[in-house]
PDB file of all heavy atoms in Angstrom:
ATOM      1  N   SER C  74       9.703   1.520   0.120  1.00 53.00           N
ATOM      2  CA  SER C  74       8.913   0.330  -0.182  1.00 53.00           C
ATOM      3  C   SER C  74       9.004  -0.020  -1.656  1.00 53.00           C
ATOM      4  O   SER C  74       9.446   0.770  -2.480  1.00 53.00           O
ATOM      5  CB  SER C  74       7.449   0.545   0.202  1.00 53.00           C
ATOM      6  OG  SER C  74       6.842   1.447  -0.703  1.00 53.00           O
ATOM      7  N   GLN C  75       8.594  -1.234  -1.954  1.00 64.00           N
ATOM      8  CA  GLN C  75       8.580  -1.719  -3.326  1.00 64.00           C
ATOM      9  C   GLN C  75       7.178  -2.215  -3.635  1.00 64.00           C
ATOM     10  O   GLN C  75       6.631  -3.013  -2.878  1.00 64.00           O
ATOM     11  CB  GLN C  75       9.558  -2.874  -3.482  1.00 64.00           C
ATOM     12  CG  GLN C  75      10.975  -2.535  -3.132  1.00 64.00           C
ATOM     13  CD  GLN C  75      11.857  -3.769  -3.161  1.00 64.00           C
ATOM     14  OE1 GLN C  75      11.635  -4.679  -3.939  1.00 64.00           O
ATOM     15  NE2 GLN C  75      12.855  -3.789  -2.310  1.00 64.00           N
ATOM     16  N   THR C  76       6.560  -1.728  -4.717  1.00 72.00           N
ATOM     17  CA  THR C  76       5.288  -2.275  -5.160  1.00 72.00           C
ATOM     18  C   THR C  76       5.619  -3.341  -6.183  1.00 72.00           C
ATOM     19  O   THR C  76       6.293  -3.074  -7.173  1.00 72.00           O
ATOM     20  CB  THR C  76       4.381  -1.192  -5.763  1.00 72.00           C
ATOM     21  OG1 THR C  76       5.047  -0.566  -6.835  1.00 72.00           O
ATOM     22  CG2 THR C  76       3.983  -0.166  -4.719  1.00 72.00           C
ATOM     23  N   LEU C  77       5.148  -4.551  -5.920  1.00 79.00           N
ATOM     24  CA  LEU C  77       5.635  -5.690  -6.686  1.00 79.00           C
ATOM     25  C   LEU C  77       4.539  -6.616  -7.173  1.00 79.00           C
ATOM     26  O   LEU C  77       3.491  -6.726  -6.565  1.00 79.00           O
ATOM     27  CB  LEU C  77       6.570  -6.538  -5.801  1.00 79.00           C
ATOM     28  CG  LEU C  77       7.781  -5.861  -5.210  1.00 79.00           C
ATOM     29  CD1 LEU C  77       8.430  -6.761  -4.189  1.00 79.00           C
ATOM     30  CD2 LEU C  77       8.758  -5.498  -6.301  1.00 79.00           C
ATOM     31  N   ASP C  78       4.864  -7.310  -8.247  1.00 86.00           N
ATOM     32  CA  ASP C  78       4.171  -8.511  -8.666  1.00 86.00           C
ATOM     33  C   ASP C  78       5.162  -9.648  -8.435  1.00 86.00           C
ATOM     34  O   ASP C  78       6.370  -9.462  -8.582  1.00 86.00           O
ATOM     35  CB  ASP C  78       3.814  -8.471 -10.150  1.00 86.00           C
ATOM     36  CG  ASP C  78       2.671  -7.513 -10.448  1.00 86.00           C
ATOM     37  OD1 ASP C  78       1.707  -7.482  -9.673  1.00 86.00           O
ATOM     38  OD2 ASP C  78       2.753  -6.808 -11.460  1.00 86.00           O
ATOM     39  N   ILE C  79       4.659 -10.828  -8.072  1.00 89.00           N
ATOM     40  CA  ILE C  79       5.506 -11.994  -7.882  1.00 89.00           C
ATOM     41  C   ILE C  79       5.148 -13.007  -8.962  1.00 89.00           C
ATOM     42  O   ILE C  79       3.971 -13.242  -9.244  1.00 89.00           O
ATOM     43  CB  ILE C  79       5.305 -12.627  -6.481  1.00 89.00           C
ATOM     44  CG1 ILE C  79       5.558 -11.604  -5.379  1.00 89.00           C
ATOM     45  CG2 ILE C  79       6.182 -13.864  -6.312  1.00 89.00           C
ATOM     46  CD1 ILE C  79       6.990 -11.195  -5.193  1.00 89.00           C
ATOM     47  N   TYR C  80       6.174 -13.596  -9.569  1.00 92.00           N
ATOM     48  CA  TYR C  80       6.000 -14.592 -10.622  1.00 92.00           C
ATOM     49  C   TYR C  80       6.696 -15.884 -10.239  1.00 92.00           C
ATOM     50  O   TYR C  80       7.764 -15.857  -9.631  1.00 92.00           O
ATOM     51  CB  TYR C  80       6.598 -14.096 -11.946  1.00 92.00           C
ATOM     52  CG  TYR C  80       5.880 -12.907 -12.509  1.00 92.00           C
ATOM     53  CD1 TYR C  80       6.202 -11.624 -12.097  1.00 92.00           C
ATOM     54  CD2 TYR C  80       4.875 -13.074 -13.445  1.00 92.00           C
ATOM     55  CE1 TYR C  80       5.541 -10.525 -12.610  1.00 92.00           C
ATOM     56  CE2 TYR C  80       4.204 -11.971 -13.963  1.00 92.00           C
ATOM     57  CZ  TYR C  80       4.544 -10.707 -13.540  1.00 92.00           C
ATOM     58  OH  TYR C  80       3.884  -9.624 -14.043  1.00 92.00           O
ATOM     59  N   GLU C  81       6.082 -17.003 -10.611  1.00 93.00           N
ATOM     60  CA  GLU C  81       6.735 -18.300 -10.491  1.00 93.00           C
ATOM     61  C   GLU C  81       7.344 -18.625 -11.852  1.00 93.00           C
ATOM     62  O   GLU C  81       6.672 -18.539 -12.872  1.00 93.00           O
ATOM     63  CB  GLU C  81       5.722 -19.380 -10.113  1.00 93.00           C
ATOM     64  CG  GLU C  81       6.349 -20.758 -10.033  1.00 93.00           C
ATOM     65  CD  GLU C  81       5.308 -21.835  -9.886  1.00 93.00           C
ATOM     66  OE1 GLU C  81       4.961 -22.164  -8.747  1.00 93.00           O
ATOM     67  OE2 GLU C  81       4.833 -22.330 -10.929  1.00 93.00           O
ATOM     68  N   MET C  82       8.628 -18.990 -11.847  1.00 95.00           N
ATOM     69  CA  MET C  82       9.328 -19.285 -13.101  1.00 95.00           C
ATOM     70  C   MET C  82       9.787 -20.738 -13.104  1.00 95.00           C
ATOM     71  O   MET C  82      10.412 -21.200 -12.152  1.00 95.00           O
ATOM     72  CB  MET C  82      10.542 -18.377 -13.261  1.00 95.00           C
ATOM     73  CG  MET C  82      11.352 -18.642 -14.493  1.00 95.00           C
ATOM     74  SD  MET C  82      12.795 -17.537 -14.500  1.00 95.00           S
ATOM     75  CE  MET C  82      13.408 -17.814 -16.124  1.00 95.00           C
ATOM     76  N   ASN C  83       9.471 -21.450 -14.166  1.00 95.00           N
ATOM     77  CA  ASN C  83       9.991 -22.792 -14.392  1.00 95.00           C
ATOM     78  C   ASN C  83      11.411 -22.624 -14.920  1.00 95.00           C
ATOM     79  O   ASN C  83      11.613 -22.033 -15.981  1.00 95.00           O
ATOM     80  CB  ASN C  83       9.106 -23.524 -15.403  1.00 95.00           C
ATOM     81  CG  ASN C  83       9.582 -24.920 -15.682  1.00 95.00           C
ATOM     82  OD1 ASN C  83      10.779 -25.181 -15.843  1.00 95.00           O
ATOM     83  ND2 ASN C  83       8.635 -25.838 -15.755  1.00 95.00           N
ATOM     84  N   LEU C  84      12.409 -23.096 -14.174  1.00 96.00           N
ATOM     85  CA  LEU C  84      13.801 -22.879 -14.565  1.00 96.00           C
ATOM     86  C   LEU C  84      14.199 -23.638 -15.820  1.00 96.00           C
ATOM     87  O   LEU C  84      15.132 -23.239 -16.508  1.00 96.00           O
ATOM     88  CB  LEU C  84      14.740 -23.253 -13.413  1.00 96.00           C
ATOM     89  CG  LEU C  84      14.638 -22.369 -12.176  1.00 96.00           C
ATOM     90  CD1 LEU C  84      15.537 -22.880 -11.067  1.00 96.00           C
ATOM     91  CD2 LEU C  84      14.971 -20.922 -12.512  1.00 96.00           C
ATOM     92  N   GLU C  85      13.499 -24.726 -16.137  1.00 96.00           N
ATOM     93  CA  GLU C  85      13.815 -25.488 -17.347  1.00 96.00           C
ATOM     94  C   GLU C  85      13.279 -24.813 -18.605  1.00 96.00           C
ATOM     95  O   GLU C  85      13.971 -24.714 -19.611  1.00 96.00           O
ATOM     96  CB  GLU C  85      13.267 -26.910 -17.234  1.00 96.00           C
ATOM     97  CG  GLU C  85      13.955 -27.717 -16.150  1.00 96.00           C
ATOM     98  CD  GLU C  85      13.311 -29.073 -15.924  1.00 96.00           C
ATOM     99  OE1 GLU C  85      12.267 -29.371 -16.546  1.00 96.00           O
ATOM    100  OE2 GLU C  85      13.858 -29.835 -15.115  1.00 96.00           O
ATOM    101  N   THR C  86      12.026 -24.335 -18.552  1.00 96.00           N
ATOM    102  CA  THR C  86      11.401 -23.752 -19.739  1.00 96.00           C
ATOM    103  C   THR C  86      11.470 -22.227 -19.762  1.00 96.00           C
ATOM    104  O   THR C  86      11.175 -21.618 -20.785  1.00 96.00           O
ATOM    105  CB  THR C  86       9.915 -24.155 -19.813  1.00 96.00           C
ATOM    106  OG1 THR C  86       9.223 -23.581 -18.696  1.00 96.00           O
ATOM    107  CG2 THR C  86       9.762 -25.668 -19.829  1.00 96.00           C
ATOM    108  N   ARG C  87      11.783 -21.616 -18.611  1.00 95.00           N
ATOM    109  CA  ARG C  87      11.803 -20.154 -18.425  1.00 95.00           C
ATOM    110  C   ARG C  87      10.420 -19.518 -18.523  1.00 95.00           C
ATOM    111  O   ARG C  87      10.290 -18.313 -18.669  1.00 95.00           O
ATOM    112  CB  ARG C  87      12.748 -19.478 -19.432  1.00 95.00           C
ATOM    113  CG  ARG C  87      14.155 -20.007 -19.414  1.00 95.00           C
ATOM    114  CD  ARG C  87      14.965 -19.304 -18.366  1.00 95.00           C
ATOM    115  NE  ARG C  87      16.209 -19.965 -18.062  1.00 95.00           N
ATOM    116  CZ  ARG C  87      17.391 -19.623 -18.523  1.00 95.00           C
ATOM    117  NH1 ARG C  87      17.493 -18.605 -19.337  1.00 95.00           N
ATOM    118  NH2 ARG C  87      18.463 -20.289 -18.172  1.00 95.00           N
ATOM    119  N   GLU C  88       9.376 -20.339 -18.447  1.00 95.00           N
ATOM    120  CA  GLU C  88       8.007 -19.837 -18.447  1.00 95.00           C
ATOM    121  C   GLU C  88       7.708 -19.188 -17.096  1.00 95.00           C
ATOM    122  O   GLU C  88       8.004 -19.750 -16.041  1.00 95.00           O
ATOM    123  CB  GLU C  88       7.012 -20.972 -18.692  1.00 95.00           C
ATOM    124  CG  GLU C  88       5.574 -20.528 -18.616  1.00 95.00           C
ATOM    125  CD  GLU C  88       4.581 -21.691 -18.665  1.00 95.00           C
ATOM    126  OE1 GLU C  88       4.999 -22.856 -18.612  1.00 95.00           O
ATOM    127  OE2 GLU C  88       3.386 -21.404 -18.740  1.00 95.00           O
ATOM    128  N   CYS C  89       7.111 -17.996 -17.136  1.00 94.00           N
ATOM    129  CA  CYS C  89       6.754 -17.263 -15.924  1.00 94.00           C
ATOM    130  C   CYS C  89       5.240 -17.141 -15.820  1.00 94.00           C
ATOM    131  O   CYS C  89       4.569 -16.851 -16.812  1.00 94.00           O
ATOM    132  CB  CYS C  89       7.360 -15.864 -15.939  1.00 94.00           C
ATOM    133  SG  CYS C  89       9.143 -15.865 -15.796  1.00 94.00           S
ATOM    134  N   ARG C  90       4.733 -17.373 -14.610  1.00 94.00           N
ATOM    135  CA  ARG C  90       3.300 -17.231 -14.357  1.00 94.00           C
ATOM    136  C   ARG C  90       3.116 -16.366 -13.117  1.00 94.00           C
ATOM    137  O   ARG C  90       3.786 -16.561 -12.107  1.00 94.00           O
ATOM    138  CB  ARG C  90       2.653 -18.595 -14.163  1.00 94.00           C
ATOM    139  CG  ARG C  90       2.847 -19.491 -15.386  1.00 94.00           C
ATOM    140  CD  ARG C  90       2.209 -20.840 -15.253  1.00 94.00           C
ATOM    141  NE  ARG C  90       2.687 -21.552 -14.063  1.00 94.00           N
ATOM    142  CZ  ARG C  90       2.130 -22.664 -13.596  1.00 94.00           C
ATOM    143  NH1 ARG C  90       1.083 -23.187 -14.190  1.00 94.00           N
ATOM    144  NH2 ARG C  90       2.614 -23.254 -12.532  1.00 94.00           N
ATOM    145  N   ARG C  91       2.208 -15.423 -13.200  1.00 93.00           N
ATOM    146  CA  ARG C  91       1.975 -14.467 -12.114  1.00 93.00           C
ATOM    147  C   ARG C  91       1.262 -15.119 -10.939  1.00 93.00           C
ATOM    148  O   ARG C  91       0.326 -15.892 -11.106  1.00 93.00           O
ATOM    149  CB  ARG C  91       1.143 -13.292 -12.630  1.00 93.00           C
ATOM    150  CG  ARG C  91       0.982 -12.181 -11.640  1.00 93.00           C
ATOM    151  CD  ARG C  91       0.337 -10.968 -12.306  1.00 93.00           C
ATOM    152  NE  ARG C  91       0.066  -9.957 -11.328  1.00 93.00           N
ATOM    153  CZ  ARG C  91      -1.137  -9.735 -10.808  1.00 93.00           C
ATOM    154  NH1 ARG C  91      -2.175 -10.415 -11.218  1.00 93.00           N
ATOM    155  NH2 ARG C  91      -1.299  -8.798  -9.902  1.00 93.00           N
ATOM    156  N   ILE C  92       1.707 -14.793  -9.732  1.00 93.00           N
ATOM    157  CA  ILE C  92       1.048 -15.227  -8.501  1.00 93.00           C
ATOM    158  C   ILE C  92      -0.056 -14.225  -8.178  1.00 93.00           C
ATOM    159  O   ILE C  92       0.169 -13.015  -8.194  1.00 93.00           O
ATOM    160  CB  ILE C  92       2.060 -15.294  -7.333  1.00 93.00           C
ATOM    161  CG1 ILE C  92       3.193 -16.275  -7.641  1.00 93.00           C
ATOM    162  CG2 ILE C  92       1.362 -15.632  -6.023  1.00 93.00           C
ATOM    163  CD1 ILE C  92       2.806 -17.714  -7.693  1.00 93.00           C
ATOM    164  N   ILE C  93      -1.253 -14.724  -7.881  1.00 94.00           N
ATOM    165  CA  ILE C  93      -2.404 -13.892  -7.544  1.00 94.00           C
ATOM    166  C   ILE C  93      -2.524 -13.832  -6.020  1.00 94.00           C
ATOM    167  O   ILE C  93      -2.624 -14.864  -5.360  1.00 94.00           O
ATOM    168  CB  ILE C  93      -3.713 -14.467  -8.132  1.00 94.00           C
ATOM    169  CG1 ILE C  93      -3.581 -14.686  -9.639  1.00 94.00           C
ATOM    170  CG2 ILE C  93      -4.904 -13.581  -7.769  1.00 94.00           C
ATOM    171  CD1 ILE C  93      -3.347 -13.448 -10.433  1.00 94.00           C
ATOM    172  N   PHE C  94      -2.516 -12.631  -5.458  1.00 94.00           N
ATOM    173  CA  PHE C  94      -2.660 -12.431  -4.021  1.00 94.00           C
ATOM    174  C   PHE C  94      -4.127 -12.203  -3.712  1.00 94.00           C
ATOM    175  O   PHE C  94      -4.783 -11.389  -4.363  1.00 94.00           O
ATOM    176  CB  PHE C  94      -1.821 -11.237  -3.555  1.00 94.00           C
ATOM    177  CG  PHE C  94      -0.356 -11.552  -3.538  1.00 94.00           C
ATOM    178  CD1 PHE C  94       0.385 -11.552  -4.698  1.00 94.00           C
ATOM    179  CD2 PHE C  94       0.269 -11.889  -2.343  1.00 94.00           C
ATOM    180  CE1 PHE C  94       1.728 -11.870  -4.689  1.00 94.00           C
ATOM    181  CE2 PHE C  94       1.619 -12.213  -2.323  1.00 94.00           C
ATOM    182  CZ  PHE C  94       2.347 -12.202  -3.502  1.00 94.00           C
ATOM    183  N   ARG C  95      -4.626 -12.948  -2.699  1.00 94.00           N
ATOM    184  CA  ARG C  95      -6.057 -12.854  -2.423  1.00 94.00           C
ATOM    185  C   ARG C  95      -6.355 -13.080  -0.944  1.00 94.00           C
ATOM    186  O   ARG C  95      -5.584 -13.678  -0.201  1.00 94.00           O
ATOM    187  CB  ARG C  95      -6.825 -13.864  -3.266  1.00 94.00           C
ATOM    188  CG  ARG C  95      -6.499 -15.304  -2.923  1.00 94.00           C
ATOM    189  CD  ARG C  95      -7.168 -16.280  -3.848  1.00 94.00           C
ATOM    190  NE  ARG C  95      -6.860 -17.653  -3.434  1.00 94.00           N
ATOM    191  CZ  ARG C  95      -7.285 -18.717  -4.040  1.00 94.00           C
ATOM    192  NH1 ARG C  95      -8.052 -18.606  -5.116  1.00 94.00           N
ATOM    193  NH2 ARG C  95      -6.975 -19.922  -3.597  1.00 94.00           N
ATOM    194  N   ASP C  96      -7.531 -12.588  -0.573  1.00 93.00           N
ATOM    195  CA  ASP C  96      -8.111 -12.825   0.739  1.00 93.00           C
ATOM    196  C   ASP C  96      -9.523 -13.309   0.453  1.00 93.00           C
ATOM    197  O   ASP C  96     -10.426 -12.499   0.215  1.00 93.00           O
ATOM    198  CB  ASP C  96      -8.112 -11.547   1.571  1.00 93.00           C
ATOM    199  CG  ASP C  96      -8.714 -11.752   2.953  1.00 93.00           C
ATOM    200  OD1 ASP C  96      -8.941 -12.919   3.344  1.00 93.00           O
ATOM    201  OD2 ASP C  96      -8.954 -10.747   3.647  1.00 93.00           O
ATOM    202  N   GLY C  97      -9.704 -14.612   0.413  1.00 90.00           N
ATOM    203  CA  GLY C  97     -10.985 -15.179  -0.010  1.00 90.00           C
ATOM    204  C   GLY C  97     -11.196 -14.863  -1.478  1.00 90.00           C
ATOM    205  O   GLY C  97     -10.356 -15.150  -2.319  1.00 90.00           O
ATOM    206  N   SER C  98     -12.301 -14.184  -1.793  1.00 89.00           N
ATOM    207  CA  SER C  98     -12.589 -13.841  -3.188  1.00 89.00           C
ATOM    208  C   SER C  98     -12.007 -12.480  -3.583  1.00 89.00           C
ATOM    209  O   SER C  98     -12.017 -12.114  -4.752  1.00 89.00           O
ATOM    210  CB  SER C  98     -14.091 -13.850  -3.434  1.00 89.00           C
ATOM    211  OG  SER C  98     -14.712 -12.875  -2.624  1.00 89.00           O
ATOM    212  N   ARG C  99     -11.510 -11.714  -2.621  1.00 91.00           N
ATOM    213  CA  ARG C  99     -10.929 -10.391  -2.899  1.00 91.00           C
ATOM    214  C   ARG C  99      -9.479 -10.526  -3.341  1.00 91.00           C
ATOM    215  O   ARG C  99      -8.679 -11.162  -2.664  1.00 91.00           O
ATOM    216  CB  ARG C  99     -11.018  -9.530  -1.646  1.00 91.00           C
ATOM    217  CG  ARG C  99     -10.642  -8.094  -1.891  1.00 91.00           C
ATOM    218  CD  ARG C  99     -10.856  -7.273  -0.655  1.00 91.00           C
ATOM    219  NE  ARG C  99      -9.530  -6.927  -0.159  1.00 91.00           N
ATOM    220  CZ  ARG C  99      -9.265  -6.560   1.065  1.00 91.00           C
ATOM    221  NH1 ARG C  99     -10.217  -6.512   1.963  1.00 91.00           N
ATOM    222  NH2 ARG C  99      -8.057  -6.234   1.420  1.00 91.00           N
ATOM    223  N   GLN C 100      -9.137  -9.952  -4.487  1.00 92.00           N
ATOM    224  CA  GLN C 100      -7.770 -10.001  -5.000  1.00 92.00           C
ATOM    225  C   GLN C 100      -7.094  -8.652  -4.825  1.00 92.00           C
ATOM    226  O   GLN C 100      -7.742  -7.613  -4.851  1.00 92.00           O
ATOM    227  CB  GLN C 100      -7.761 -10.385  -6.476  1.00 92.00           C
ATOM    228  CG  GLN C 100      -8.190 -11.807  -6.719  1.00 92.00           C
ATOM    229  CD  GLN C 100      -8.047 -12.215  -8.176  1.00 92.00           C
ATOM    230  OE1 GLN C 100      -7.563 -11.463  -9.010  1.00 92.00           O
ATOM    231  NE2 GLN C 100      -8.483 -13.415  -8.487  1.00 92.00           N
ATOM    232  N   PHE C 101      -5.769  -8.691  -4.640  1.00 85.00           N
ATOM    233  CA  PHE C 101      -4.971  -7.486  -4.500  1.00 85.00           C
ATOM    234  C   PHE C 101      -4.167  -7.279  -5.774  1.00 85.00           C
ATOM    235  O   PHE C 101      -3.592  -8.228  -6.301  1.00 85.00           O
ATOM    236  CB  PHE C 101      -4.020  -7.603  -3.303  1.00 85.00           C
ATOM    237  CG  PHE C 101      -4.722  -7.910  -2.018  1.00 85.00           C
ATOM    238  CD1 PHE C 101      -4.648  -9.157  -1.447  1.00 85.00           C
ATOM    239  CD2 PHE C 101      -5.477  -6.939  -1.373  1.00 85.00           C
ATOM    240  CE1 PHE C 101      -5.297  -9.451  -0.262  1.00 85.00           C
ATOM    241  CE2 PHE C 101      -6.132  -7.215  -0.190  1.00 85.00           C
ATOM    242  CZ  PHE C 101      -6.046  -8.481   0.366  1.00 85.00           C
ATOM    243  N   ASP C 102      -4.118  -6.029  -6.251  1.00 78.00           N
ATOM    244  CA  ASP C 102      -3.374  -5.728  -7.473  1.00 78.00           C
ATOM    245  C   ASP C 102      -1.874  -5.820  -7.257  1.00 78.00           C
ATOM    246  O   ASP C 102      -1.151  -6.367  -8.068  1.00 78.00           O
ATOM    247  CB  ASP C 102      -3.723  -4.335  -7.999  1.00 78.00           C
ATOM    248  CG  ASP C 102      -5.145  -4.264  -8.528  1.00 78.00           C
ATOM    249  OD1 ASP C 102      -5.655  -5.302  -8.984  1.00 78.00           O
ATOM    250  OD2 ASP C 102      -5.735  -3.184  -8.461  1.00 78.00           O
ATOM    251  N   LYS C 103      -1.389  -5.238  -6.194  1.00 74.00           N
ATOM    252  CA  LYS C 103       0.047  -5.188  -5.911  1.00 74.00           C
ATOM    253  C   LYS C 103       0.266  -5.497  -4.444  1.00 74.00           C
ATOM    254  O   LYS C 103      -0.619  -5.328  -3.622  1.00 74.00           O
ATOM    255  CB  LYS C 103       0.628  -3.796  -6.193  1.00 74.00           C
ATOM    256  CG  LYS C 103       0.493  -3.320  -7.613  1.00 74.00           C
ATOM    257  CD  LYS C 103       1.573  -3.900  -8.475  1.00 74.00           C
ATOM    258  CE  LYS C 103       1.460  -3.308  -9.887  1.00 74.00           C
ATOM    259  NZ  LYS C 103       2.322  -3.933 -10.824  1.00 74.00           N
ATOM    260  N   ILE C 104       1.481  -5.928  -4.144  1.00 80.00           N
ATOM    261  CA  ILE C 104       1.867  -6.072  -2.752  1.00 80.00           C
ATOM    262  C   ILE C 104       2.981  -5.083  -2.467  1.00 80.00           C
ATOM    263  O   ILE C 104       3.634  -4.580  -3.379  1.00 80.00           O
ATOM    264  CB  ILE C 104       2.285  -7.515  -2.399  1.00 80.00           C
ATOM    265  CG1 ILE C 104       3.505  -7.938  -3.207  1.00 80.00           C
ATOM    266  CG2 ILE C 104       1.135  -8.475  -2.595  1.00 80.00           C
ATOM    267  CD1 ILE C 104       4.133  -9.205  -2.695  1.00 80.00           C
ATOM    268  N   PHE C 105       3.183  -4.793  -1.197  1.00 76.00           N
ATOM    269  CA  PHE C 105       4.170  -3.804  -0.771  1.00 76.00           C
ATOM    270  C   PHE C 105       5.139  -4.475   0.179  1.00 76.00           C
ATOM    271  O   PHE C 105       4.757  -4.898   1.264  1.00 76.00           O
ATOM    272  CB  PHE C 105       3.474  -2.623  -0.083  1.00 76.00           C
ATOM    273  CG  PHE C 105       2.498  -1.923  -0.975  1.00 76.00           C
ATOM    274  CD1 PHE C 105       1.190  -2.367  -1.076  1.00 76.00           C
ATOM    275  CD2 PHE C 105       2.898  -0.837  -1.728  1.00 76.00           C
ATOM    276  CE1 PHE C 105       0.293  -1.729  -1.911  1.00 76.00           C
ATOM    277  CE2 PHE C 105       2.006  -0.192  -2.567  1.00 76.00           C
ATOM    278  CZ  PHE C 105       0.691  -0.642  -2.658  1.00 76.00           C
ATOM    279  N   MET C 106       6.395  -4.570  -0.244  1.00 70.00           N
ATOM    280  CA  MET C 106       7.392  -5.254   0.571  1.00 70.00           C
ATOM    281  C   MET C 106       8.490  -4.292   0.981  1.00 70.00           C
ATOM    282  O   MET C 106       8.872  -3.415   0.217  1.00 70.00           O
ATOM    283  CB  MET C 106       7.991  -6.427  -0.198  1.00 70.00           C
ATOM    284  CG  MET C 106       6.997  -7.527  -0.453  1.00 70.00           C
ATOM    285  SD  MET C 106       7.642  -8.840  -1.475  1.00 70.00           S
ATOM    286  CE  MET C 106       9.015  -9.400  -0.516  1.00 70.00           C
ATOM    287  N   TYR C 107       8.980  -4.478   2.192  1.00 60.00           N
ATOM    288  CA  TYR C 107      10.091  -3.706   2.728  1.00 60.00           C
ATOM    289  C   TYR C 107      11.201  -4.700   3.033  1.00 60.00           C
ATOM    290  O   TYR C 107      11.091  -5.471   3.982  1.00 60.00           O
ATOM    291  CB  TYR C 107       9.678  -2.969   4.004  1.00 60.00           C
ATOM    292  CG  TYR C 107       8.625  -1.933   3.754  1.00 60.00           C
ATOM    293  CD1 TYR C 107       7.289  -2.271   3.699  1.00 60.00           C
ATOM    294  CD2 TYR C 107       8.979  -0.610   3.531  1.00 60.00           C
ATOM    295  CE1 TYR C 107       6.317  -1.318   3.458  1.00 60.00           C
ATOM    296  CE2 TYR C 107       8.022   0.353   3.290  1.00 60.00           C
ATOM    297  CZ  TYR C 107       6.692  -0.013   3.250  1.00 60.00           C
ATOM    298  OH  TYR C 107       5.740   0.926   3.009  1.00 60.00           O
ATOM    299  N   GLY C 108      12.228  -4.710   2.216  1.00 55.00           N
ATOM    300  CA  GLY C 108      13.321  -5.658   2.437  1.00 55.00           C
ATOM    301  C   GLY C 108      12.953  -7.045   1.950  1.00 55.00           C
ATOM    302  O   GLY C 108      12.039  -7.228   1.159  1.00 55.00           O
ATOM    303  N   GLU C 109      13.666  -8.031   2.440  1.00 58.00           N
ATOM    304  CA  GLU C 109      13.487  -9.412   2.003  1.00 58.00           C
ATOM    305  C   GLU C 109      12.533 -10.130   2.946  1.00 58.00           C
ATOM    306  O   GLU C 109      12.924 -10.583   4.005  1.00 58.00           O
ATOM    307  CB  GLU C 109      14.836 -10.122   1.969  1.00 58.00           C
ATOM    308  CG  GLU C 109      15.795  -9.490   0.991  1.00 58.00           C
ATOM    309  CD  GLU C 109      17.159 -10.146   1.033  1.00 58.00           C
ATOM    310  OE1 GLU C 109      17.302 -11.206   1.651  1.00 58.00           O
ATOM    311  OE2 GLU C 109      18.069  -9.577   0.435  1.00 58.00           O
ATOM    312  N   GLU C 110      11.295 -10.240   2.572  1.00 78.00           N
ATOM    313  CA  GLU C 110      10.293 -10.870   3.416  1.00 78.00           C
ATOM    314  C   GLU C 110       9.633 -12.045   2.718  1.00 78.00           C
ATOM    315  O   GLU C 110       8.418 -12.187   2.725  1.00 78.00           O
ATOM    316  CB  GLU C 110       9.259  -9.838   3.870  1.00 78.00           C
ATOM    317  CG  GLU C 110       9.839  -8.792   4.789  1.00 78.00           C
ATOM    318  CD  GLU C 110      10.517  -9.366   6.037  1.00 78.00           C
ATOM    319  OE1 GLU C 110      10.071 -10.398   6.566  1.00 78.00           O
ATOM    320  OE2 GLU C 110      11.518  -8.782   6.469  1.00 78.00           O
ATOM    321  N   VAL C 111      10.435 -12.892   2.097  1.00 83.00           N
ATOM    322  CA  VAL C 111       9.962 -14.108   1.445  1.00 83.00           C
ATOM    323  C   VAL C 111      10.757 -15.268   2.023  1.00 83.00           C
ATOM    324  O   VAL C 111      11.981 -15.205   2.100  1.00 83.00           O
ATOM    325  CB  VAL C 111      10.167 -14.037  -0.088  1.00 83.00           C
ATOM    326  CG1 VAL C 111       9.759 -15.339  -0.748  1.00 83.00           C
ATOM    327  CG2 VAL C 111       9.412 -12.864  -0.684  1.00 83.00           C
TER     328      VAL C 111
END
């Protein structure tokens, strides 16, 4: 498995912003992915 953070990157400016994973008001620190599941 891979413990990951996901970022959105603007390809023009190269600015990266972190995606926040949540279930209502509860936030998750990391996600766990197996293979390519995006």
Side-chain angles (χ1 to χ4, degrees):
S74 72
Q75 301 174 32
T76 57
L77 302 170
D78 287 319
I79 304 289
Y80 294 85
E81 178 189 270
M82 178 183 190
N83 180 317
L84 294 176
E85 294 173 355
T86 65
R87 305 274 166 100
E88 176 188 8
C89 292
R90 301 181 304 169
R91 187 171 174 259
I92 300 292
I93 306 297
F94 287 79
R95 65 185 182 180
D96 180 11
S98 62
R99 189 175 109 201
Q100 292 186 4
F101 304 106
D102 291 332
K103 300 279 184 188
I104 62 167
F105 300 86
M106 293 175 60
Y107 295 84
E109 298 176 11
E110 294 304 326
V111 176

